[in-house]
Amino acid sequence: MAISDELRALESEALAAVGAAETLEDLEAVRIGFLGKKGSLTAILRGLGGLSAEERPEAGRVSNEVRRSVESALDAKREELERAARASRIAAEVVDVTLPGRARPLGHQHVLHQVVDEIVEIFSGLGYRVAEGPEVELDYYNFTALNHPADHPARALQDTFYVKDLSGDRAVVEGESDVLLRTHTSPGQVHVMETQQPPIYVVVPGKVYRRDVADPSHLPQFTQVEGLVVDEGITFGDLKGTLEHFVREMFGPDRRVRLRPHFFPFTEPSAEVDVSCGICGGSGCRSCGGEGWLEILGCGMVDPNVFGYVGIDPEKYTGFAFGMGAERIAGLKYGVPDLRHFIEGDTRFLHQF
Ligand code: PHE
């Protein structure tokens, strides 16, 4: 076969192969097969030098034509395949902006914190400020300055968590540390009166700790809100009116308040406060244990001995204090019979609020 026929045959073979290529990889294989270093067209072009002088010009012209035609077919096909590859990539990556977004479950404030906030709000409305005190407290603030005698049972190891002082810097009384986890928010009263002069109107919310085993009505860690008022001419009537206002705001306008005489070392006189049962209205039912009343807090007039510890003149000022358990208030407000629900973190319970 004449060399130009050979070239033409190779050309149609190459053009057919280019036409059949389905991917850029196929096409590259075709290019290498014909035009690569060891390609069949390259081999013929290399052999041109060995041709006779008559054959050479014609063979050179044809081979140039064939090379150009194969190259331009390769270029055109490459462009076509690249365009198709781009189009299919875009089709695959397309984002359907009309699809609904993924719903993320929203968290919300724990019911106990909602209730603490609500208590604080009610007293803020009466002009009270919020104060805080440490949870790790000195015996002095938790007991001594609150007029507890040295042998008061609350000071005993079985009621109070004592913190061991490893530094050994502090005097340790009778084998016990004088550092403890506060058993109530009342030490907050002492801190406030040490640093502020009357008139004082504060609430002190916070965690407190007692050596109790968790059961439906006890938790070893729970939450209290303390209240303290010190001003000229404060009476027990002011205390009662304040608590009545609080109870109606918290539980509703129909609820009544009852004060029972009680004892606390740091208030005199002292009382425990009951709210009328929301189910039976006071006549007695199963939910209030037949009593008609539910205990919600302790309170009283600040004992002059406490004023003595903090340097407030008991001749000039009087005051009242109260302390309530937030879990208890929340339990009554929402009818939760077991306080342990508030600390267990079960979302089936928590999502109800
Ligand atoms: N601290 C008392 C308790 O935890 C409650 C209380 C506070 C009583 C303020 C009187 C005055 O039981």
Side-chain angles (χ1 to χ4, degrees):
M1 208 189 328
I3 188 125
S4 53
D5 293 335
E6 224 177 286
L7 281 164
R8 290 297 178 196
L10 208 53
E11 177 185 20
S12 36
E13 201 187 309
L15 294 180
V18 168
E22 283 181 5
T23 66
L24 286 163
E25 293 77 52
D26 291 350
L27 193 66
E28 181 60 5
V30 172
R31 189 189 66 78
I32 291 167
F34 288 94
L35 293 171
K37 262 191 216 152
K38 296 175 187 162
S40 41
L41 194 57
T42 311
I44 293 182
L45 295 176
R46 283 219 182 98
L48 288 182
L51 293 176
S52 66
E54 303 89 73
E55 283 175 310
R56 214 179 290 152
E58 170 68 357
R61 191 181 58 76
V62 175
S63 61
N64 271 335
E65 262 177 40
V66 168
R67 202 189 59 224
R68 248 179 265 123
S69 115
V70 173
E71 277 174 351
S72 75
L74 280 166
D75 286 347
K77 185 72 175 182
R78 180 175 307 111
E79 226 173 87
E80 180 195 322
L81 287 174
E82 277 171 356
R83 212 180 306 120
R86 205 176 315 123
S88 74
R89 202 173 57 236
I90 288 169
E93 286 176 359
V94 80
V95 174
D96 183 351
V97 294
T98 67
L99 284 174
R102 269 183 216 120
R104 304 229 173 258
L106 257 194
H108 71 285
Q109 201 183 25
H110 192 284
V111 57
L112 203 55
H113 288 182
Q114 294 177 35
V115 167
V116 170
D117 281 358
E118 206 177 326
I119 297 168
V120 169
E121 282 281 295
I122 293 170
F123 288 100
S124 298
L126 295 174
Y128 289 54
R129 294 183 175 270
V130 178
E132 276 179 353
E135 289 171 35
V136 179
E137 189 51 281
L138 290 175
D139 176 285
Y140 175 79
Y141 289 96
N142 198 79
F143 293 128
T144 307
L146 289 167
N147 202 33
H148 284 68
D151 58 355
H152 192 278
R155 290 184 122 127
L157 270 174
Q158 61 263 32
D159 291 326
T160 299
F161 288 110
Y162 283 90
V163 177
K164 214 175 199 168
D165 182 10
L166 295 174
S167 75
D169 283 352
R170 287 191 183 289
V172 173
V173 188
E174 288 169 16
E176 289 172 12
S177 167
D178 64 349
V179 181
L180 46 79
L181 301 185
R182 66 179 175 193
T183 60
H184 50 179
T185 43
S186 301
Q189 292 185 35
V190 183
H191 287 293
V192 168
M193 288 189 280
E194 269 187 348
T195 52
Q196 297 176 34
Q197 282 303 305
I200 292 170
Y201 292 79
V202 291
V203 280
V204 186
K207 295 189 193 92
V208 302
Y209 303 84
R210 289 186 197 171
R211 291 187 73 147
D212 278 323
V213 173
D215 70 21
S217 54
H218 296 86
L219 297 172
Q221 178 202 301
F222 59 105
T223 315
Q224 283 190 335
V225 180
E226 191 82 8
L228 174 70
V229 167
V230 183
D231 204 345
E232 288 180 46
I234 297 295
T235 67
F236 201 91
D238 295 323
L239 170 58
K240 189 163 187 248
T242 301
L243 295 176
E244 278 169 353
H245 171 76
F246 165 72
V247 163
R248 297 207 178 99
E249 290 285 310
M250 192 65 181
F251 296 105
D254 305 332
R255 306 297 277 273
R256 283 167 300 137
V257 172
R258 178 176 86 173
L259 279 78
R260 277 180 291 104
H262 198 73
F263 175 80
F264 296 104
F266 41 96
T267 47
E268 182 60 30
S270 303
E272 275 188 334
V273 176
D274 299 338
V275 57
S276 58
C277 174
I279 311 281
C280 63
S283 56
C285 67
R286 261 185 37 199
S287 113
C288 55
E291 289 287 319
W293 296 91
L294 301 149
E295 185 203 320
I296 54 162
L297 58 84
C299 66
M301 301 304 288
V302 179
D303 193 302
N305 287 345
V306 175
F307 283 149
Y309 279 102
V310 294
I312 287 180
D313 180 2
E315 298 299 326
K316 186 168 180 203
Y317 297 107
T318 51
F320 64 72
F322 55 84
M324 63 185 91
E327 287 80 0
R328 197 183 182 94
I329 303 276
L332 289 177
K333 188 175 168 84
Y334 294 114
V336 178
D338 190 332
L339 301 187
R340 289 174 295 189
H341 285 304
F342 290 118
I343 57 165
E344 276 166 355
D346 186 331
T347 51
R348 290 169 301 180
F349 171 75
L350 295 174
H351 281 163
Q352 296 174 277
F353 304 99

